[in-house]
Amino acid sequence: MTHGRKSAAGEFTVGLVQMACSPMLPRNHETAEAGIRDAVSRGAQVVCLQELFATPYFCQREDDASFDLAEEIPGPLTTRFARLARALDVVLIVPLFERRAAGLYHNSAVVIDASGDLLGIYRKVHVPDDPQFLEKFYFAPGDLGYRVFETRHARIGVLICWDQWYPEAARLTALRGAEAIFYPTAIGWTGDAAPSAEGLAERDAWITVQRGHAIANGVYVAVVNRVGVESSAAGVLRFWGESFVCDPGGRVIARAAGEAPRVLVARCSRATLERQRRAWPFLRDRRIDTYAPITRRYIDAPLQEASPEG
Amino acid sequence: MTHGRKSAAGEFTVGLVQMACSPMLPRNHETAEAGIRDAVSRGAQVVCLQELFATPYFCQREDDASFDLAEEIPGPLTTRFARLARALDVVLIVPLFERRAAGLYHNSAVVIDASGDLLGIYRKVHVPDDPQFLEKFYFAPGDLGYRVFETRHARIGVLICWDQWYPEAARLTALRGAEAIFYPTAIGWTGDAAPSAEGLAERDAWITVQRGHAIANGVYVAVVNRVGVESSAAGVLRFWGESFVCDPGGRVIARAAGEAPRVLVARCSRATLERQRRAWPFLRDRRIDTYAPITRRYIDAPLQEASPEG
């Protein structure tokens, strides 16, 4: 077991399983496992599944019955994937609908080390509420903050979907020493028509903002999104896929172009990360004396007044 | 005089003057003025000049004599452009090398209202120090924080060059109500050779991270960069131009492709901004209870420990 984390050398290989989800729930476990095995066979050491991979995206509607889909941690799902992690010597990031207590649920991801040990949980901090993405009904806001997990193969952070629009989340994860930030995701267009120009611009914005996090923080970013069309009484969602990995300079090094299921594998280099941060030493020059007001909802102070604190 | 700022309606038009700078200093004022007049003739109401437009980029070397290039505020430069602003009914963002006191200088930008009044100063908060970009020698860190200026034509924020890599700066400017954030800039490649693939990737990262700020904050972003090749005893810099404006969804709506002088004009719509923020209500869902550690340089806490505060 090599912890290359303290050095500027070494590599680690990440895998992403972009899949369609079935209402036949066991099938999702099987698809995920097949994807993990495929990724590992191609060298992946850290594999991330997509957000809520074990079920259809039930948040299209508010339905009490959907709480039955949640699982405890540990539970059957984490036990199954912990066994697989150990058998394959692979770190797994396994998103799931977490039942924490009666009436208390989270949109979470478990990080399982290659030993099969559960290293910890990340609970989605930023919870959306948009038509057909009614997550505030289901998920309490995450209360574990931003975390980094020292796994056998890399030091990784996990954020989930809506978190991806928030530079604060990426920054706070990077400040904890993440070499790579993973974003399991379920994002798509409403309706099942081919995307409009507007729709494609949305997808491009989604890619751009996450590449921006890689650049601003000098970390690898690995995004895995769902594919497929899912219908509910509320309407239809067409998940746009387009999972990708970019390097600490924001260069896309692997990409699942389009909306088909796909297993992506990408090699990440600590030397690249080191070189990038030496060339563009953004962390050195952060003006931490000026950032305190970022904890405000909005700054309504008199507009023309200078403010030494930011 | 219409302050459309409180409503969701209305438009404003921005102009950017991308120019090469001459060691014949009066020529830079003339080029800038010609660019402003061109932009205004095409409808621009808020025009931004590039960083340190009045001089060659003297920060390639550390030379005490270069402090002679600095000017006080108000001074001849601001007086000249204030007159022009008033004559043309245009808001001007005028970057300059500010002499604040003996031995105390800043990399600043003055915002001049269309009335000719000096509304205020922004002083570059994040100051770089890289080979041939030796700004820490010349500029004290800005101490006015992040500001928004209520001008006749729009509510604008200004950040300068190296600031553009910092999501915190964009966020804090947006939280003060900016409709558009301007980034006067002087960035380029070392040497005068045609850019390598690596060099083009750097330029792409620079565009991407700033589009990311537009997306994450739902604001217009307008970036104006220098062009031209400038030699010094320290070497050569080739400024890459590529000034652009993007909308609150990160879509590039005007672009000065390549390294030629160019005056860009782009129309910005408050309805677009309003629509974007309703569709993607990121400000609503910020988890301000989790952001306090962003004021830390780095977070060295035990890696596996959960932290409720972020």
Side-chain angles (χ1 to χ4, degrees), chain A residues 61-72:
Chain A
R61 307 168 51 225
E62 299 191 352
D63 180 358
D64 271 346
S66 292
F67 287 109
D68 290 337
L69 297 169
E71 298 202 32
E72 296 188 353

Side-chain angles (χ1 to χ4, degrees), chain A residues 5-6 119-120 124-130 136 141-151 155 162 165-169 171-172 174-178 187 197-198 201-209 211-213 215-217 240 249-251 275-310, chain B residues 5-6 119-120 124-130 136 141-151 155 162 165-169 171-172 174-178 187 197-198 201-209 211-213 215-217 240 249-251 275-310:
Chain A
R5 64 187 183 267
K6 302 288 183 207
L119 283 183
K124 188 173 186 171
V125 167
H126 298 91
V127 180
D129 190 292
D130 285 317
K136 289 191 198 296
D143 61 343
L144 297 175
Y146 309 100
R147 306 190 64 186
V148 166
F149 301 91
E150 191 75 56
T151 75
R155 181 188 279 170
W162 197 235
W165 302 101
Y166 293 85
E168 294 93 342
R171 178 68 96 200
L172 285 164
L175 289 181
R176 289 180 179 273
I187 193 169
E198 176 99 359
E202 288 175 358
R203 191 176 67 183
D204 183 57
W206 172 82
I207 295 168
T208 299
V209 79
R211 289 179 59 215
H213 301 329
I215 296 162
N217 294 291
W240 67 47
R251 296 169 202 84
R275 194 168 55 242
Q276 180 69 29
R277 288 202 187 170
R278 289 187 191 187
W280 283 346
F282 304 142
L283 294 184
R284 180 192 68 189
D285 291 337
R286 291 179 72 236
R287 285 290 307 280
I288 56 177
D289 55 315
T290 68
Y291 300 156
I294 220 158
T295 59
R296 293 173 65 176
R297 177 68 59 208
Y298 201 68
I299 305 175
D300 308 286
L303 289 162
Q304 302 303 332
E305 182 189 356
S307 150
E309 88 294 349
Chain B
R5 63 190 184 264
K6 302 288 183 207
L119 283 183
K124 189 173 186 172
V125 167
H126 298 90
V127 179
D129 189 293
D130 286 318
K136 288 191 198 296
D143 62 343
L144 296 176
Y146 310 101
R147 307 189 63 185
V148 166
F149 301 91
E150 192 75 56
T151 75
R155 180 189 280 171
W162 197 235
W165 302 100
Y166 293 85
E168 294 92 341
R171 179 68 96 200
L172 286 164
L175 289 181
R176 289 180 179 274
I187 192 169
E198 175 99 0
E202 288 174 358
R203 192 176 67 183
D204 184 57
W206 170 82
I207 294 168
T208 300
V209 79
R211 289 179 59 214
H213 302 328
I215 296 161
N217 294 290
W240 69 43
R251 297 169 201 83
R275 195 167 54 241
Q276 180 70 28
R277 289 201 186 170
R278 289 187 191 187
W280 282 347
F282 304 142
L283 294 184
R284 180 192 67 190
D285 291 337
R286 291 179 72 236
R287 285 289 306 280
I288 55 176
D289 54 316
T290 68
Y291 300 156
I294 221 157
T295 59
R296 293 174 64 177
R297 176 68 60 208
Y298 201 69
I299 305 175
D300 306 286
L303 288 163
Q304 302 303 332
E305 183 189 355
S307 150
E309 89 293 350

